[in-house]
Structures are given as structure tokens and as C-alpha cells.
Amino acid sequence: MKEQEFDKRTKKFATALWDLYVDEEEREGTETPKIELREENLTDDFTAMIMAVHLLYISITGDDEVDLIGFTHMVNRLVFQWLMKNKERE
């Protein structure tokens, strides 16, 4: 997948996530075209989704000091805490 297409996908994922937090009339992605699901691009898509959540984190918290690696470390801690708290749900 080309870098430009990857960046577009990341922005689409970030916009879709952000739109969940705003009123309908304020949403940006109402006319975002469907992303085609292609198995050969799933790794890139999941990576773009992670990067989109990182962008959402920065836009909500204003904490642009946390790079992508630091963010994934923080997310791993949150998942671990959730798993420990919700063991019986596994």
C-alpha cells in the first residue's frame, strides 16, 4: 500500500472515531466513502487503525509528547488492567 493511501486510510479511521464523540451536525465523516476490505491490506489497515486511535488520543488530551510506541505501551497497560479486572469474562 502506498504511503499516501495509507495516510488517507488513517485519517478516515480517525475521523470515524472522532465522529462518535460529536453531535451529528458536527460530524466530518458523513460523506466518507466506504473502504474496501482487502485481505492483502489487513496488516496496513490494522496499523492505520492503531495510528488513528493515537491521533484521537492526542486530539482529546492535547498530549503530543507521547509517540506511537509510548502510546502502544500505555494501551497495553490498559488492556492488561482490563483483563485482570475482568478475568471471568474471558
Side-chain angles (χ1 to χ4, degrees):
M1 179 182 296
K2 291 186 236 171
E3 188 174 335
Q4 189 176 26
E5 184 180 338
F6 180 84
D7 291 344
K8 285 180 183 178
R9 282 167 122 56
T10 301
K11 180 161 179 16
K12 285 180 182 181
F13 290 130
T15 299
L17 289 169
W18 178 251
D19 282 350
L20 294 171
Y21 289 98
V22 297
D23 293 328
E24 284 185 44
E25 60 274 359
E26 297 175 29
R27 292 182 180 167
E28 293 179 42
T30 56
E31 296 181 22
T32 302
K34 175 184 169 190
I35 295 175
E36 291 301 321
L37 180 62
R38 296 180 305 218
E39 288 187 33
E40 67 271 8
N41 289 337
L42 280 180
T43 298
D44 286 339
D45 280 354
F46 287 128
T47 303
M49 288 176 200
I50 293 165
M51 294 174 88
V53 174
H54 179 237
L55 292 173
L56 181 67
Y57 168 82
I58 291 170
S59 68
I60 290 174
T61 65
D63 183 6
D64 59 357
E65 298 290 317
V66 176
D67 66 4
L68 190 57
I69 298 297
F71 177 73
T72 58
H73 178 71
M74 180 178 59
V75 169
N76 282 332
R77 283 194 321 246
L78 291 172
V79 169
F80 180 76
Q81 289 171 356
W82 187 91
L83 287 172
M84 294 308 293
K85 182 178 174 183
N86 297 285
K87 277 194 242 184
E88 66 279 355
R89 290 177 63 177
E90 278 293 295

